[in-house]
Amino acid sequence: MTATVDSKKTESRWAAIGYRVQLFAPWIVLGGLALVALGWPMLAGDQVADFARSLQAPGGEALLGTDHSGYDLGVRTAQGLRISLAIAVACAVLATLVGLVVGVGAVTVGGWFDAIVMRLVDGVNALPHLVVGVVIAAMWRGEPIAIVASIALTHWPAVARVVRAELLEATSAGWVETARLAGASRTFIATRHLLPAVSGQVLVAMTVLLPHAVWHETTLSFLGVGLSPDEASLGSLLGQARGDVLTGAWWTLVVPGVALMAAALACAAAASSLRRATLPPGGEVWR
């Protein structure tokens, strides 16, 4: 009997350790990637093109090889990772803010305004996100703000739907109607009652958008409508690698490709761990 109890305690202890690892490991990896993206270019200093070092294989002076302009590919990839993550964070924050305002406004005002807002959400969702992103980014080619806008303006409807669904459930509890009967204004209800009710979902929604933003930014730069080739982003590095790979320089594709996969998977895993930590079992809307 004692042995059985001890065995169950051991299993429970290991399960708790595994749960904590699943929660914190993605954030540690994401923090490590951010540290590399910030620290490696600072330690390496300014780089200049050196065509005598063009397409050198990994090892030696350049740990991860060089690109066709002679730049250290590891440093360039770290710079690209920094820019891609910064744009992804800006996109996620902007899309979340727009979705939050729209969702809270739809529930607070209600009636005809709610119906119009939801039809607008359906209309934006019906648009092909990549095509819209290409059109907006191409109009202001090479501008980071255009990339941020093109991604954020096509991803806010998902946040608005989640916020609206959560708030409708919260208002059905009765305490919001009680506040209205007590004479509370719509602004007071929105800021003191509705926003705190969706804070957990909003935080998860913003984190979930990060890997989507990373992929979209990379795709736009790869297609040539994102950042200029002079600005090292993961997409522009992958775009430049298309011709280099044909000459046998496989590392020009593998190095930024691995960085892209690591960043996207770390962001997705971080979103999953945050959802698991902040939302009640069975209550997830983001799946």
Side-chain angles (χ1 to χ4, degrees):
M1 183 66 177
T2 303
T4 303
V5 173
D6 291 341
S7 176
K8 290 183 177 179
K9 287 183 177 179
T10 302
E11 292 178 0
S12 178
R13 189 178 300 113
W14 280 110
I17 294 174
Y19 178 75
R20 292 190 181 93
V21 169
Q22 291 179 1
L23 286 182
F24 295 108
W27 293 99
I28 294 174
V29 174
L30 193 57
L33 289 174
L35 185 62
V36 170
L38 292 173
W40 197 344
M42 293 176 60
L43 294 175
D46 295 333
Q47 289 199 100
V48 294
D50 184 1
F51 292 98
R53 302 172 60 227
S54 177
L55 298 180
Q56 290 184 356
E61 185 179 350
L63 179 62
L64 299 179
T66 62
D67 63 8
H68 65 276
S69 297
Y71 291 113
D72 189 313
L73 189 59
V75 177
R76 290 280 285 176
T77 301
Q79 293 172 339
L81 182 61
R82 179 179 59 191
I83 293 175
S84 295
L85 287 177
I87 291 178
V89 170
C91 294
V93 171
L94 180 58
T96 302
L97 288 177
V98 174
L100 178 62
V101 171
V102 171
V104 172
V107 175
T108 302
V109 178
W112 62 269
F113 184 77
D114 183 28
I116 292 176
V117 166
M118 295 317 297
R119 298 294 76 76
L120 175 63
V121 168
D122 293 337
V124 175
N125 273 332
L127 298 174
H129 292 178
L130 182 58
V131 174
V132 174
V134 168
V135 171
I136 296 176
M139 292 174 64
W140 294 277
R141 189 184 295 263
E143 293 293 333
I145 188 64
I147 299 175
V148 172
S150 68
I151 299 173
L153 293 179
T154 55
H155 286 74
W156 64 266
V159 181
R161 281 187 176 278
V162 171
V163 170
R164 179 178 178 274
E166 286 293 300
L167 290 182
L168 288 177
E169 183 178 351
T171 54
S172 65
W175 43 267
V176 173
E177 185 62 28
T178 302
R180 285 199 182 100
L181 294 176
S185 65
R186 289 176 174 175
T187 303
F188 180 87
I189 293 174
T191 56
R192 297 296 296 273
H193 294 293
L194 299 184
L195 286 178
V198 296
S199 57
Q201 282 283 7
V202 167
L203 186 60
V204 172
M206 185 171 62
T207 312
V208 168
L209 287 175
L210 282 176
H212 292 275
V214 170
W215 282 111
H216 275 261
E217 184 281 324
T218 302
T219 302
L220 292 175
S221 296
F222 180 81
L223 293 175
V225 295
L227 296 176
S228 66
D230 296 334
E231 294 285 343
S233 72
L234 294 180
S236 61
L237 291 177
L238 290 172
Q240 295 169 10
R242 286 178 295 182
D244 297 335
V245 169
L246 298 178
T247 65
W250 53 266
W251 56 90
T252 59
L253 178 66
V254 171
V255 173
V258 170
L260 171 62
M261 292 296 296
L265 291 176
C267 289
S272 178
S273 68
L274 183 62
R275 180 181 60 214
R276 191 181 299 114
T278 58
L279 300 180
E284 294 102 339
V285 177
W286 288 87
R287 298 185 183 276

